[in-house]
Amino acid sequence: MEYPQERFLATTFIPGSFWARRREVVRAQTLRHQLLMLKQTGRYEAFKLQWHPSYAEPPTVYPIPNHQFWDSDVAKWIEGACYLLVDQFDEEIDAAVRELVQMIRGAQHPDGYLNIHYSVVEPGKRFTNLRDMHELYNAGHLIEGALAHHLFYKNDEMLAPILKYVDLLAAELGAQEGQIPGYPGHPEIELALLRLHRLTGDPKHLRLARFFIEERGNPHGGKEKRHYYDVEAEARGESEHDLPMYFPAARSYWYQQAHVPIADQETIEGHSVRAMYLLTAVADLVRIFKPDSELGAKFLPALHRLWSNMVEKKAYVTGGIGAMKKWEGFGGDYFLPQGTDEGGCYAETCAAIGVMMLAERLLQFELKGEYADMMELCLYNAVLTGMSLDGKAFTYVNQLASSDQDLSQRHEWFECACCPPNVTRTLGFLGGYIWSHSMQDDFVVVNVHLYTSASLNLQTAESTVQITQTTDWPWDGDVTFDVKTEGPQIKLELRLRIAGWAASWQITPRPDNLDIRDGYVYLDPAWVQAHAQFRFSCPMQPRVVRPHPLTMQPVAYVMRGPIVYCVEDVDHPWEKNHFKRTIFDSSVPLREETRSEPDSYVALIAEKGVYGDLDTSEWEDRIVAESGGAIAGEPKDLCFIPYYLRANRGGRGQMRVGLRLAF
Amino acid sequence: MEYPQERFLATTFIPGSFWARRREVVRAQTLRHQLLMLKQTGRYEAFKLQWHPSYAEPPTVYPIPNHQFWDSDVAKWIEGACYLLVDQFDEEIDAAVRELVQMIRGAQHPDGYLNIHYSVVEPGKRFTNLRDMHELYNAGHLIEGALAHHLFYKNDEMLAPILKYVDLLAAELGAQEGQIPGYPGHPEIELALLRLHRLTGDPKHLRLARFFIEERGNPHGGKEKRHYYDVEAEARGESEHDLPMYFPAARSYWYQQAHVPIADQETIEGHSVRAMYLLTAVADLVRIFKPDSELGAKFLPALHRLWSNMVEKKAYVTGGIGAMKKWEGFGGDYFLPQGTDEGGCYAETCAAIGVMMLAERLLQFELKGEYADMMELCLYNAVLTGMSLDGKAFTYVNQLASSDQDLSQRHEWFECACCPPNVTRTLGFLGGYIWSHSMQDDFVVVNVHLYTSASLNLQTAESTVQITQTTDWPWDGDVTFDVKTEGPQIKLELRLRIAGWAASWQITPRPDNLDIRDGYVYLDPAWVQAHAQFRFSCPMQPRVVRPHPLTMQPVAYVMRGPIVYCVEDVDHPWEKNHFKRTIFDSSVPLREETRSEPDSYVALIAEKGVYGDLDTSEWEDRIVAESGGAIAGEPKDLCFIPYYLRANRGGRGQMRVGLRLAF
């Protein structure tokens, strides 16, 4: 099972558990709320191809029309809805999906073309600006929506028109004579085509995805032997100084990871969501061709290199990526300020979702705990923080510290609304991230990446296997496993991830020999057969961690298990400076306090954790001072709450993750 | 005497002293070297208005043609040459000035217009792009060149054509019907016109400067009641997305300090040289109209506000300003990384020269040590570092730390060559910065801002006064003053600056009452009359200082007197990482070592000053670690040298000012 979007069907979350509750909110509240937003903003009916007044608005992010992504907003909502309909049928949601699909079908041109903007606003301009416009990105999301629709409805109502559209794309784009030798500025269709290919087996789906990936960044592309984006811009009659808002200089193709061919990219650059979607597709392509193929040898080193550069030098403690607002992406190595007033911090929700996607793919090549650690880190922090507890408010940017310019707060929707439905669909198929498995005859391997109360139900030719884990993760590190099989005996190997943050762990009863490889403990079939029930324990204690010293951040972060903590003004009414001047005494013990409001969680209390406030009076009217800075004010208590819980309990939007240490 | 460019005539530097030696290098070497550069690059003959092949080159900084500043390069060289000819006549330099002036005269259009680019490359386009082009900036430097020429040659050979050009400008630009209601993107002409007005008394010179200053940033300017740069861009038929390379977004008029009227600007923003030249002119205008006038009440608060914002939140320890390369200017408050690989650092030489100009003007309103401190800091560090000891190599950007991308090194010239001749002219009239004075009948006040071996010669109606200071500043803080008067007795009040960095100071013999105000000690006429010779001592000890804690820089700087120190790889052959991982033990004593090669200076030796090297292995493959970072390697000695001396003694261009502290 290569894709979590299919694999999730085998997972059942145990009602009342952490993720079951979040998913239930999404199913019962978020889907409806987002449907309302689609309707209120004009997106819902946009595939009717009528004019909408907003189409005339000037672009917020020049040159991209504000409605450019509407196709994908609808497609991602359909996708998320179809995953969640599996849990429980919902008439209202089902009716909306059906109506949307009919509108999509109705919007298709006779030749298969399917796009709102290029049908209504700029007809005749299709495929003329692959660099900036989201035409192929939208197509990718339509494919993913159609795949989810096909999965749930088991019919071709949505898939058929999409296949027809893909036929057109495969005919129009590519390396053949007469084809457009271009590729999308915003990757997405690549991974969608590869998923589609898995369903259809149609070689042209694979061929088109491969072309997009291999041609990307080619300085000598097409007949003209030039960079396609140059050729295309020239054909549009554009001055190279007509700069898209996200280009700091002319031809900043690194923004789209198209400055050089992917295999030659040394560092991870540019728009972080694009980078993640692209590398996910590259990983899928490598998997299809096999890592030891020529194609694998070409791309696998780049995947590892770019992943390492990201994790070691360009990722935040929350798993968020991207420091730079201008291009919604990566800054230089170790440039990781916490917020706007310190130089930036972006960490878009979608980007962290992309990190999960890429980590999941890399786990398929190598079962290494570091990938799953990153997947878990993103899930519980940079992704989960993107949605409110009530499922009706979202973040796009996830800074580590608020400022007067950028408060810590959520919004019910965005003009560019990629993040909200992305969280919806991710939680929809979350089961697919918990574990992965392979089956060969009577030999079943299950890799447990994440811990939560859930069951995995597998069916071999003659037997069924049910693996249930029961836990209060992420608050408690005890996990009970129950394995049930029916039918002829199978061989089940279980591989359990040992979190990188775990100070200790154990399995009870204890296996005689612990076979540990790269952050996973391997439990062989004999042991599993002999222990239908066992416990995996991984005690969680609060810990104080520090960013890489080259980030120049003299701060500490508080974590517990996979959870990154923050402080909010709602718990500290005295705070007025976004905790920017709060000096943290990291030697103070962090007392755990289990709370049930507004949701169950473990707060961490540091009595007299505020050492004092930074007193900068010595620097008045001068650049430097001979002191390192005085500390004023009395010690005060600090209350740390999970970062994902921020902006759920009132307050003035003041929040900080990394607190300053005295130095 | 309002201007240091006139005031310097009263100062004689004592041969062999610190500044006398630097100025002698400029006179004997730099002027010739720069003349050679002017000739080699085509600038020297450019006023002949022949085509030069470089005119066809694409702009390095779109949309500014690379030769756009050539007029000013020539004018600034003439200006500097005329100041230095005062010291010693030089036939070769004199001949070049004469020839250049003849070429300038020959380049003037019958109507007075005078500009290389708009005569040769884009005739007919004059005054169509005041925002981006340096047409009026060039005119400003031509005025300043002409004033210096007039001062030395005491004829109108250069002034006459410039006055004719200014007549044209005054006719074409302004608020009257039929005039262009615009103002220059790069301020300079404002301060030049005010200086010109002082010579000519011509009200239209004052009027034009005032119009440029008061109209700047007017959102409802001209007949169209719109921002002039919008009107102008529209007239050019430009898309607002045709972005100059220095604009991060459309209409980034803060780059030119034209986003709102000057009086309404809350923080110092944009291109730092422009900001300094502009505010210098604003200060001059306020002085002319008097601080307590309506105009003074309008602009003086802005001057103070913007100065404070700059010094407290946007200046480097060297006095350098501007963290951002893209717009060669200011970043957000406290955003002051040391180098390219840490997020940026610009600190252009010209900007620090601009800070000196502005500080000198503010001292005229209020005799406050903090202004002179900043003036001295810039002079000995951010400005002086801009030229090599041999006077033939220069810097443009003055980072606090080198990186592989940006080594610490000098160049013999630049495509945009504003900085080299700016240093030349600044050192040319340096005497004007040392002290300022006022005379009323027989009452003379002399404010001593800077200490160096030099004499000030003043002439009242009937008497002459000579004040001589003798000192080895900046290496030694003892200054001997000798006052000589001839003719009828005058009343001489002396005000000596007490450096903000001075831990102690004394005057010998000690006055009975010390009258200290705002960082100056006032010596009344009776005391001065009774003490024709006295000593001012201000002991210099090495000191370790720290940047404002909100800069998030966990580093310390080493200073001694006004000198900021750095470390260079030439003294530490083991260094390979630009001292980025060097942990400084700031508790180690700094031993002074007086050296005479390649010039006399005090080096500071910290035995075992390297505590160790930062060991970041705990962060391999992960974002955070539970430790604060290990320290590896053995303690090593450190040798600090003056920042201005860097890149003079060989080495690999590795240099750092702020060294990391263990934390």
Side-chain angles (χ1 to χ4, degrees):
Chain A
M1 296 291 274
E2 289 86 351
Y3 292 108
Q5 291 96 330
E6 301 167 14
R7 203 194 288 152
F8 81 98
L9 289 172
T11 297
T12 312
F13 288 91
I14 297 173
S17 65
F18 187 90
W19 287 113
R21 282 183 290 122
R22 300 309 310 140
R23 292 183 76 253
E24 177 57 20
V25 166
V26 173
R27 197 197 61 73
Q29 303 296 336
T30 310
L31 277 179
R32 277 185 168 62
H33 168 79
Q34 293 183 346
L35 181 58
L36 183 69
M37 291 296 114
L38 292 178
K39 288 181 175 173
Q40 281 182 357
T41 58
R43 284 160 169 86
Y44 187 80
E45 300 216 318
F47 275 108
K48 285 188 175 166
L49 305 186
Q50 302 301 302
W51 180 261
H52 189 277
S54 74
Y55 294 173
E57 286 168 9
T60 302
V61 178
Y62 176 83
I64 307 172
N66 302 334
H67 59 279
Q68 177 72 216
F69 327 90
W70 282 18
D71 315 54
S72 69
D73 296 336
V74 167
K76 280 155 84 179
W77 184 85
I78 292 174
E79 186 186 346
C82 290
Y83 298 144
L84 288 153
L85 282 169
V86 174
D87 280 18
Q88 190 175 323
F89 187 75
D90 181 313
E91 263 183 51
E92 183 186 342
I93 301 300
D94 167 66
V97 171
R98 287 173 192 272
E99 188 170 46
L100 283 168
V101 168
Q102 289 316 307
M103 289 191 279
I104 289 169
R105 292 173 65 93
Q108 187 158 43
H109 294 223
D111 68 354
Y113 190 74
L114 190 47
N115 178 284
I116 296 165
H117 176 80
Y118 288 108
S119 298
V120 182
V121 185
E122 291 195 287
K125 291 265 183 84
R126 61 163 85 156
F127 310 135
T128 58
N129 191 347
L130 301 185
R131 186 190 78 186
D132 299 307
M133 298 305 167
H134 291 61
E135 196 174 12
L136 296 176
Y137 166 89
N138 282 329
H141 277 302
L142 282 169
I143 293 169
E144 292 209 283
L147 287 169
H149 183 276
H150 178 79
L151 190 81
F152 177 71
Y153 285 97
K154 300 185 176 55
N155 67 36
D156 286 348
E157 279 290 292
M158 184 162 175
L159 191 59
I162 299 309
L163 283 171
K164 187 174 173 189
Y165 184 20
V166 173
D167 283 347
L168 175 75
L169 296 176
E172 297 278 336
L173 297 148
Q176 301 300 309
E177 182 71 28
Q179 288 185 308
I180 297 168
Y183 39 87
H186 197 316
E188 151 63 23
I189 193 170
E190 297 85 347
L191 70 88
L193 283 168
L194 294 175
R195 286 187 54 209
L196 184 65
H197 171 254
R198 190 181 133 70
L199 179 71
T200 63
D202 187 336
K204 69 172 177 286
H205 298 164
L206 177 60
R207 194 165 57 229
L208 185 58
R210 184 181 178 181
F211 168 73
F212 286 152
I213 288 169
E214 297 206 304
E215 184 63 12
R216 192 171 200 87
N218 183 354
H220 312 294
K223 250 196 309 198
E224 301 193 42
K225 305 289 177 210
R226 290 164 61 204
H227 196 291
Y228 178 71
Y229 292 161
D230 288 340
V231 174
E232 189 196 61
E234 206 171 285
R236 288 193 300 272
E238 251 171 47
S239 149
E240 72 167 8
H241 302 291
D242 188 338
L243 290 189
M245 212 170 115
Y246 34 84
F247 270 20
R251 308 184 70 251
S252 295
Y253 301 154
W254 49 263
Y255 167 78
Q256 290 110 340
Q257 296 85 38
H259 49 311
V260 291
I262 297 164
D264 299 335
Q265 297 180 14
E266 291 295 329
T267 52
I268 191 121
E269 302 295 341
H271 189 274
S272 50
V273 180
R274 296 175 196 232
M276 292 303 99
Y277 286 11
L278 176 64
L279 295 183
T280 298
V282 172
D284 285 335
L285 192 67
V286 170
R287 181 182 39 72
I288 291 166
F289 280 80
K290 308 295 175 206
D292 58 2
S293 67
E294 200 178 313
L295 187 142
K298 178 173 157 190
F299 286 113
L300 205 49
L303 284 171
H304 285 136
R305 189 169 61 234
L306 299 173
W307 172 269
S308 292
N309 181 231
M310 177 175 80
V311 172
E312 292 185 6
K313 301 181 181 171
K314 299 190 175 186
Y316 285 99
V317 61
T318 55
I321 53 172
M324 311 304 285
K325 179 177 183 174
K326 185 173 177 73
W327 53 85
E328 304 188 310
F330 299 102
D333 285 351
Y334 305 115
F335 186 75
L336 294 164
Q338 291 201 84
T340 303
D341 61 348
E342 294 174 13
C345 177
Y346 207 72
E348 183 181 338
T349 308
C350 285
I353 288 173
V355 175
M356 288 180 64
M357 288 161 52
L358 178 57
E360 191 278 330
R361 298 317 198 267
L362 294 176
L363 274 172
Q364 297 191 32
F365 297 133
E366 297 165 286
L367 191 67
K368 276 186 149 180
E370 64 179 274
Y371 300 128
D373 282 347
M374 191 69 181
M375 198 165 82
E376 183 183 61
L377 185 73
C378 288
L379 176 62
Y380 281 102
N381 302 288
V383 174
L384 190 54
T385 202
M387 188 170 70
S388 64
L389 279 181
D390 71 1
K392 297 177 180 177
F394 309 92
T395 58
Y396 190 110
V397 175
N398 299 294
Q399 299 197 325
L400 266 58
S402 60
S403 57
D404 287 345
Q405 304 97 298
D406 284 305
L407 295 173
S408 171
Q409 54 192 12
R410 294 200 176 76
H411 301 275
E412 66 172 10
W413 197 244
F414 303 99
E415 185 175 81
C416 170
C418 50
C419 299
N422 219 354
V423 176
T424 302
R425 65 178 191 142
T426 299
L427 292 195
F429 68 86
L430 182 68
Y433 281 115
I434 308 295
W435 24 37
S436 58
H437 59 272
S438 63
M439 293 190 282
Q440 200 160 18
D441 303 327
D442 66 343
F443 189 67
V444 177
V445 174
V446 174
N447 309 306
V448 184
H449 308 301
L450 303 176
Y451 299 101
T452 192
S453 288
S455 295
L456 178 69
N457 298 284
L458 301 178
Q459 177 89 48
T460 67
E462 298 177 80
S463 305
T464 62
V465 187
Q466 186 184 59
I467 303 168
T468 300
Q469 38 166 324
T470 313
T471 178
D472 196 24
W473 204 279
W475 313 121
D476 184 81
D478 281 353
V479 189
T480 303
F481 279 86
D482 281 281
V483 179
K484 287 192 190 124
T485 53
E486 272 179 40
Q489 189 57 50
I490 51 122
K491 294 197 184 77
L492 173 62
E493 177 174 307
L494 274 176
R495 301 167 181 174
L496 310 184
R497 166 178 159 256
I498 304 157
W501 46 259
S504 67
W505 59 275
Q506 60 180 341
I507 292 170
T508 322
R510 193 174 192 282
D512 293 334
N513 296 307
L514 284 176
D515 178 8
I516 302 163
R517 302 177 222 167
D518 281 337
Y520 280 76
V521 54
Y522 286 57
L523 301 173
D524 64 43
W527 191 88
V528 173
Q529 193 181 340
H531 301 87
Q533 194 177 73
F534 64 91
R535 204 169 64 164
F536 173 73
S537 302
C538 178
M540 292 177 183
Q541 289 108 15
R543 62 191 189 280
V544 174
V545 296
R546 305 268 288 268
H548 195 291
L550 293 181
T551 60
M552 305 296 270
Q553 298 286 313
V555 302
Y557 309 118
V558 169
M559 296 187 71
R560 185 181 177 280
I563 301 287
V564 175
Y565 282 75
C566 69
V567 288
E568 281 196 306
D569 67 86
V570 66
D571 299 308
H572 311 87
W574 41 264
E575 183 52 35
K576 299 198 165 48
N577 288 309
H578 305 271
F579 302 93
K580 196 166 182 166
R581 290 170 175 270
T582 300
I583 308 288
F584 175 43
D585 182 351
S586 63
S587 68
V588 159
L590 293 159
R591 179 168 52 78
E592 301 186 1
E593 192 175 288
T594 300
R595 296 182 175 178
S596 57
E597 280 297 325
D599 192 22
S600 61
Y601 69 99
V602 174
L604 298 174
I605 311 297
E607 273 163 42
K608 307 212 172 169
V610 178
Y611 191 71
D613 292 320
L614 186 64
D615 174 5
T616 53
S617 54
E618 289 175 72
W619 281 266
E620 256 165 45
D621 294 325
R622 51 207 293 213
I623 302 173
V624 294
E626 286 187 49
S627 137
I631 291 177
E634 291 298 296
K636 289 185 284 264
D637 298 345
L638 277 179
C639 169
F640 291 89
I641 62 140
Y643 176 65
Y644 78 79
L645 253 185
R646 72 191 170 104
N648 265 305
R649 306 170 305 140
R652 290 168 277 115
Q654 302 214 354
M655 182 279 303
R656 185 166 296 259
V657 173
L659 293 180
R660 173 182 285 266
L661 299 166
F663 76 93
Chain B
M1 298 290 276
E2 288 86 351
Y3 292 108
Q5 291 96 330
E6 301 168 14
R7 203 194 289 151
F8 82 98
L9 289 172
T11 296
T12 312
F13 288 92
I14 297 174
S17 64
F18 187 89
W19 287 113
R21 282 183 289 123
R22 301 308 311 140
R23 292 182 76 252
E24 178 57 21
V25 167
V26 173
R27 197 197 60 73
Q29 304 296 335
T30 310
L31 277 179
R32 277 184 170 63
H33 169 80
Q34 293 183 346
L35 182 58
L36 183 69
M37 290 296 113
L38 293 178
K39 288 182 175 173
Q40 282 182 357
T41 58
R43 285 161 168 87
Y44 187 81
E45 300 217 317
F47 275 108
K48 285 189 176 167
L49 306 186
Q50 303 301 303
W51 180 262
H52 188 276
S54 74
Y55 295 173
E57 285 168 11
T60 302
V61 178
Y62 176 84
I64 306 173
N66 301 334
H67 59 279
Q68 177 71 215
F69 326 91
W70 283 17
D71 315 54
S72 70
D73 296 337
V74 168
K76 280 156 83 178
W77 184 85
I78 292 174
E79 186 188 348
C82 289
Y83 299 144
L84 289 154
L85 282 169
V86 174
D87 280 18
Q88 191 175 323
F89 187 75
D90 182 312
E91 263 182 50
E92 183 187 342
I93 301 300
D94 167 65
V97 171
R98 286 173 193 272
E99 188 171 46
L100 283 168
V101 169
Q102 289 316 309
M103 288 191 277
I104 290 170
R105 292 174 64 94
Q108 188 158 42
H109 294 222
D111 67 354
Y113 189 74
L114 189 47
N115 179 284
I116 297 166
H117 176 80
Y118 288 109
S119 297
V120 182
V121 185
E122 290 195 288
K125 291 268 184 83
R126 61 163 84 156
F127 309 135
T128 57
N129 191 347
L130 300 185
R131 186 189 80 185
D132 298 308
M133 297 307 166
H134 292 60
E135 196 173 12
L136 296 176
Y137 165 90
N138 282 328
H141 277 303
L142 282 169
I143 294 169
E144 292 209 283
L147 287 169
H149 183 275
H150 179 78
L151 190 81
F152 176 71
Y153 286 96
K154 300 186 174 57
N155 66 36
D156 286 347
E157 280 290 292
M158 183 163 177
L159 191 59
I162 299 309
L163 283 171
K164 187 174 173 188
Y165 185 18
V166 173
D167 284 346
L168 175 75
L169 297 176
E172 296 280 336
L173 297 147
Q176 302 299 310
E177 183 71 26
Q179 288 185 310
I180 297 167
Y183 40 85
H186 197 317
E188 152 62 23
I189 193 171
E190 298 84 347
L191 69 88
L193 283 168
L194 294 175
R195 285 186 56 207
L196 184 65
H197 171 252
R198 187 179 136 70
L199 178 72
T200 63
D202 187 337
K204 70 172 176 288
H205 297 163
L206 177 60
R207 194 165 57 230
L208 185 59
R210 184 181 177 179
F211 168 74
F212 286 152
I213 288 169
E214 296 204 306
E215 184 61 14
R216 192 171 199 87
N218 183 354
H220 312 294
K223 251 196 311 201
E224 300 193 43
K225 306 286 176 214
R226 291 164 60 204
H227 196 292
Y228 178 71
Y229 291 161
D230 288 340
V231 174
E232 190 196 59
E234 205 171 286
R236 288 194 300 273
E238 251 171 49
S239 149
E240 71 167 9
H241 303 291
D242 188 338
L243 290 189
M245 212 170 114
Y246 34 83
F247 270 20
R251 307 183 72 250
S252 294
Y253 299 155
W254 50 261
Y255 167 77
Q256 289 111 338
Q257 296 85 40
H259 49 311
V260 291
I262 297 164
D264 299 335
Q265 296 180 15
E266 291 295 329
T267 51
I268 190 117
E269 302 296 342
H271 189 275
S272 50
V273 180
R274 296 175 194 233
M276 293 303 98
Y277 286 11
L278 177 64
L279 296 183
T280 298
V282 172
D284 284 337
L285 192 68
V286 170
R287 179 180 42 70
I288 291 167
F289 279 80
K290 309 294 174 207
D292 57 3
S293 66
E294 200 177 313
L295 186 143
K298 178 173 155 190
F299 286 114
L300 205 49
L303 283 172
H304 285 137
R305 189 167 62 233
L306 299 174
W307 172 269
S308 292
N309 180 232
M310 177 175 80
V311 172
E312 291 184 8
K313 300 179 182 171
K314 298 188 177 187
Y316 285 98
V317 61
T318 55
I321 53 173
M324 312 303 285
K325 180 177 183 175
K326 186 174 176 73
W327 53 86
E328 302 188 311
F330 299 102
D333 286 351
Y334 304 114
F335 186 75
L336 294 164
Q338 290 201 85
T340 303
D341 61 348
E342 294 174 13
C345 177
Y346 207 72
E348 183 181 340
T349 308
C350 286
I353 288 173
V355 175
M356 288 181 65
M357 289 162 52
L358 179 57
E360 191 279 329
R361 301 312 201 270
L362 295 176
L363 275 172
Q364 296 191 34
F365 297 134
E366 297 166 286
L367 191 68
K368 277 186 150 180
E370 64 179 274
Y371 300 130
D373 282 347
M374 191 68 180
M375 198 163 81
E376 183 182 61
L377 185 73
C378 288
L379 176 61
Y380 282 101
N381 301 287
V383 174
L384 190 54
T385 202
M387 188 169 69
S388 63
L389 279 183
D390 71 1
K392 296 177 181 177
F394 309 91
T395 59
Y396 189 110
V397 175
N398 299 294
Q399 299 197 324
L400 267 58
S402 60
S403 58
D404 286 345
Q405 305 97 298
D406 284 305
L407 296 172
S408 171
Q409 55 192 12
R410 294 200 175 78
H411 301 276
E412 64 171 13
W413 196 244
F414 303 100
E415 184 174 81
C416 170
C418 50
C419 299
N422 219 354
V423 176
T424 301
R425 63 177 194 144
T426 299
L427 292 195
F429 68 86
L430 182 67
Y433 281 116
I434 308 293
W435 23 37
S436 59
H437 59 273
S438 63
M439 294 190 280
Q440 199 159 21
D441 303 328
D442 66 344
F443 189 68
V444 178
V445 174
V446 174
N447 309 304
V448 184
H449 307 303
L450 302 176
Y451 300 102
T452 191
S453 287
S455 294
L456 178 68
N457 299 284
L458 301 177
Q459 178 91 46
T460 69
E462 297 177 80
S463 305
T464 62
V465 188
Q466 186 184 59
I467 303 167
T468 300
Q469 38 167 324
T470 313
T471 178
D472 195 25
W473 205 279
W475 312 121
D476 184 81
D478 280 354
V479 189
T480 303
F481 279 87
D482 280 282
V483 178
K484 288 193 188 119
T485 53
E486 271 178 41
Q489 188 57 52
I490 51 121
K491 295 198 186 76
L492 173 63
E493 178 175 306
L494 274 176
R495 301 167 180 172
L496 310 184
R497 166 178 159 256
I498 303 158
W501 46 260
S504 66
W505 58 276
Q506 60 179 343
I507 291 170
T508 322
R510 193 173 192 284
D512 293 334
N513 296 307
L514 283 177
D515 178 8
I516 302 163
R517 301 179 221 165
D518 282 337
Y520 281 77
V521 54
Y522 286 57
L523 300 174
D524 66 42
W527 191 90
V528 173
Q529 194 181 338
H531 301 86
Q533 194 178 73
F534 64 90
R535 204 170 63 165
F536 173 73
S537 301
C538 177
M540 292 177 181
Q541 289 109 14
R543 61 192 191 281
V544 174
V545 297
R546 304 268 290 267
H548 195 292
L550 293 182
T551 59
M552 305 296 270
Q553 297 286 313
V555 301
Y557 309 119
V558 169
M559 294 186 74
R560 184 180 178 279
I563 301 288
V564 175
Y565 281 75
C566 70
V567 287
E568 281 196 306
D569 66 87
V570 66
D571 300 308
H572 310 88
W574 41 265
E575 182 53 35
K576 299 198 166 47
N577 287 310
H578 305 270
F579 302 94
K580 195 165 182 166
R581 291 171 175 269
T582 300
I583 308 289
F584 175 42
D585 181 352
S586 63
S587 68
V588 160
L590 293 159
R591 177 168 53 80
E592 302 186 1
E593 190 174 290
T594 300
R595 296 183 176 178
S596 57
E597 281 297 325
D599 192 22
S600 61
Y601 69 98
V602 175
L604 298 173
I605 312 296
E607 274 164 42
K608 307 211 171 168
V610 178
Y611 192 70
D613 293 319
L614 186 64
D615 173 5
T616 53
S617 54
E618 289 175 72
W619 281 266
E620 257 165 44
D621 294 324
R622 51 207 292 213
I623 302 173
V624 294
E626 286 188 50
S627 136
I631 292 177
E634 290 300 295
K636 288 184 284 263
D637 299 345
L638 277 179
C639 169
F640 292 88
I641 63 141
Y643 176 65
Y644 77 78
L645 254 185
R646 71 191 170 105
N648 266 305
R649 305 171 305 140
R652 289 168 277 114
Q654 302 215 354
M655 184 277 306
R656 184 166 297 259
V657 173
L659 292 181
R660 172 181 286 265
L661 298 166
F663 74 93

